[in-house]
């Protein structure tokens, strides 16, 4: 497996893992948090369990992540300009945008301040999005 395929496979595996986590959340299981309120505080900067998105939203995100994973895997072997290749570029751009914009979230949404989400976003969620976006772009080179 050459370096470009390693980037693609790594991004796809991570995206599939995140899809599985969102599917677990859709069932009402707050793992890895102890309860829904803690999950809300850690994942979206919410203040109670009522702030969590409904199961259909979690499943929609899971489906989008699975689609992104498939595009990340398929795109390196397709010619530039193909729908698959363009889709992977859109996925990479979306991840890079989320990663960058994530640093502005606490300023844009003051209610998040003081929640565990803010440091987790700064040290895990945003950097992971930036890394995934970069990995997909690198796999397309």
């Amino acid at each position: 497996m050459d370096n470009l395929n390693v980037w693609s496979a790594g991004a796809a595996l991570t995206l599939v893992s995140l899809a599985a986590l969102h599917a677990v959340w859709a069932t009402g299981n707050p793992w890895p948090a102890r309860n829904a309120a803690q999950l809300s505080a850690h994942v979206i900067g919410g203040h109670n369990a009522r702030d969590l998105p409904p199961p259909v939203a979690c499943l929609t995100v899971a489906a989008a992540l699975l689609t992104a994973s498939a595009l990340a895997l398929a795109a390196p072997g397709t010619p530039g300009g193909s729908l698959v290749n363009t889709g992977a570029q859109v996925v990479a751009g979306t991840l890079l945008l989320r990663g960058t914009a994530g640093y502005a979230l606490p300023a844009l949404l003051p209610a998040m301040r003081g929640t565990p989400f803010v440091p987790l976003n700064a040290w895990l969620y945003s950097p992971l999005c930036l890394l995934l976006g970069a990995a997909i772009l690198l796999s397309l080179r």
Side-chain angles (χ1 to χ4, degrees):
M1 186 179 284
D2 65 28
N3 287 338
L4 299 181
N5 288 336
V6 168
W7 288 113
S8 175
L13 179 62
T14 303
L15 291 165
V16 166
S17 299
L18 292 171
L21 186 57
H22 282 78
V24 166
W25 292 340
T27 70
N29 184 334
W31 187 87
R34 289 187 305 250
N35 56 53
Q38 186 185 55
L39 180 66
S40 175
H42 283 76
V43 175
I44 62 169
H47 294 282
N48 57 56
R50 290 187 315 267
D51 295 330
L52 286 172
V56 69
C58 293
L59 290 174
T60 301
V61 171
L65 290 167
L66 288 174
T67 301
S69 174
L71 289 167
L73 277 178
T78 63
S82 70
L83 187 58
V84 170
N85 196 279
T86 301
Q89 291 172 357
V90 169
V91 168
T94 301
L95 288 164
L96 292 170
L97 180 61
R98 163 53 183 97
T100 304
Y103 290 106
L105 282 175
L108 296 173
L109 301 168
M112 285 183 174
R113 291 185 198 143
T115 67
F117 171 82
V118 174
L120 283 169
N121 180 63
W123 293 100
L124 178 61
Y125 309 146
S126 283
L128 180 60
C129 288
L130 292 170
L131 179 62
L132 288 170
I136 292 170
L137 287 181
L138 286 170
S139 75
L140 297 175
R141 293 182 63 204

